[in-house]
Amino acid sequence: MDFTKIIFEQKGSVGIVKINYPQALNALNSEVLGELNAIFDQVAADNSIKVVILTGEGKAFVAGADISQMSKLNASEGKAFGEFGASVFRKIELMAKPVIAAVNGFALGGGCELSMCCDIRIASSKAKFGQPEVGLGITPGFSGTQRLPRIVGVGKAKELIYTADIINAQEALRIGLVNQVVEPEELMDTAMAMAEKIASKAVVAVKYSKEAINKGLQTDIDSAIAIEANLFGLCFATEDQKEGMGAFLEKRAPQFKNR
Ligand code: CO8
């Protein structure tokens, strides 16, 4: 597939997906969502990529779903558009590789929702977050009503969604919406350093950790502990477990083979 709204670059074992539609502040229309869907399929299937960074070109990460496109939708078309976006975001969330959102600017509506389906959010000090949908006569539609309360708690999520308030990066850090805030010029280096650190670990163990956290949070604690136990057990069938523990005992750095 030829991409016109996405730039993809690979540095070592880190894949960098940049949404490149700055003239509309990277607003998510069907085309951008379709390209995101395709690039994440491609990245998921590429064994040379261990960690992904998602960012945006220009002054926005993503300023929301495309309001001009959405303005013309009827109820069933709105539902279908919401379902498509939500399915792309869920694919990113479930992908067996960590995804770091490097939030370079506005992350509003669908943009805030896109950042929330990523595993980790690093924000530029210029980033702004919010769910402005009720000011447009709609609810958040790409799973923001579900992920925001899971990340920041029910009360704060309701406040942000009902008031449509836009918050700055420091406030996003304070409420736990982002992991870290850095100066704009340090954003990609910080994201890259974290991505490379993760990529240097046993990839299968990172993959199972993501699966245990994601699945475990959706169930009761006893089932969640059983999910972890199962994945923990599977690690002992990997070469990387033998290498990681062997290297520790031999007092040397491990050489993981990702299997
Ligand atoms: N959709 C379409 N175009 C957009 C969007 C958007 N979300 N955001 C910005 N643009 C366009 C502007 O229209 C403008 O285009 P043009 O130059 O042709 O006039 C261009 O991008 C630049 O934007 P501004 O001139 O407005 O830039 P400013 O720096 O003055 O303002 C803001 C930046 C504050 C980010 C402002 O652009 C803004 O408020 N944007 C809209 C933010 C918003 O409300 N986002 C939420 C959208 S709703 C949503 O995401 C719902 C998700 C679920 C969908 C479910 C489907 C049913």
Side-chain angles (χ1 to χ4, degrees), residues 216-237:
L217 283 173
Q218 305 310 322
T219 188
D220 64 278
I221 186 76
D222 290 317
S223 306
I225 288 169
I227 289 168
E228 187 194 75
N230 184 44
L231 290 163
F232 179 69
L234 288 178
C235 292
F236 289 82

Side-chain angles (χ1 to χ4, degrees), residues 48-64:
S48 70
I49 297 169
K50 297 180 188 166
V51 183
V52 183
I53 296 173
L54 176 61
T55 192
E57 174 63 31
K59 68 178 179 183
F61 175 69
V62 164

Side-chain angles (χ1 to χ4, degrees), residues 29-187:
N29 57 24
S30 314
E31 192 185 3
V32 178
L33 282 171
E35 292 195 11
L36 270 177
N37 193 40
I39 194 71
F40 274 94
D41 277 342
Q42 201 172 297
V43 160
D46 186 337
N47 288 334
S48 70
I49 297 169
K50 297 180 188 166
V51 183
V52 183
I53 296 173
L54 176 61
T55 192
E57 174 63 31
K59 68 178 179 183
F61 175 69
V62 164
D66 190 324
I67 297 170
S68 63
Q69 191 176 58
M70 278 190 300
S71 65
K72 305 174 189 81
L73 303 180
N74 63 30
S76 65
E77 289 165 339
K79 181 165 184 270
F81 184 57
E83 283 172 348
F84 178 53
S87 75
V88 176
F89 289 15
R90 186 74 172 137
K91 175 180 289 183
I92 295 171
E93 185 170 55
L94 292 177
M95 191 175 64
K97 302 173 187 201
V99 183
I100 299 171
V103 183
N104 50 300
F106 294 109
L108 303 177
C112 187
E113 291 168 309
L114 179 60
S115 79
M116 290 191 290
C117 73
C118 299
D119 296 279
I120 291 164
R121 284 157 292 286
I122 302 176
S124 148
S125 57
K126 290 197 173 153
K128 299 237 189 299
F129 294 81
Q131 298 290 160
E133 285 90 343
V134 296
L136 295 164
I138 56 172
T139 64
F142 293 156
S143 317
T145 60
Q146 302 311 306
R147 291 200 181 92
L148 190 59
R150 283 167 168 80
I151 294 173
V152 303
V154 176
K156 198 65 191 173
K158 285 181 172 172
E159 179 189 328
L160 286 171
I161 290 172
Y162 299 172
T163 62
D165 278 350
I166 307 297
I167 58 171
N168 65 25
Q170 279 304 331
E171 176 65 0
L173 180 66
R174 193 187 69 78
I175 66 173
L177 180 55
V178 303
N179 297 60
Q180 200 179 337
V181 178
V182 297
E183 290 310 309
E185 58 277 11
E186 292 166 9
L187 179 65

Side-chain angles (χ1 to χ4, degrees), residues 244-259:
M245 294 191 177
F248 175 82
L249 295 172
E250 291 162 20
K251 301 190 189 305
R252 60 174 175 83
Q255 301 286 324
F256 292 121
K257 297 202 176 69
N258 312 318
R259 45 181 195 254

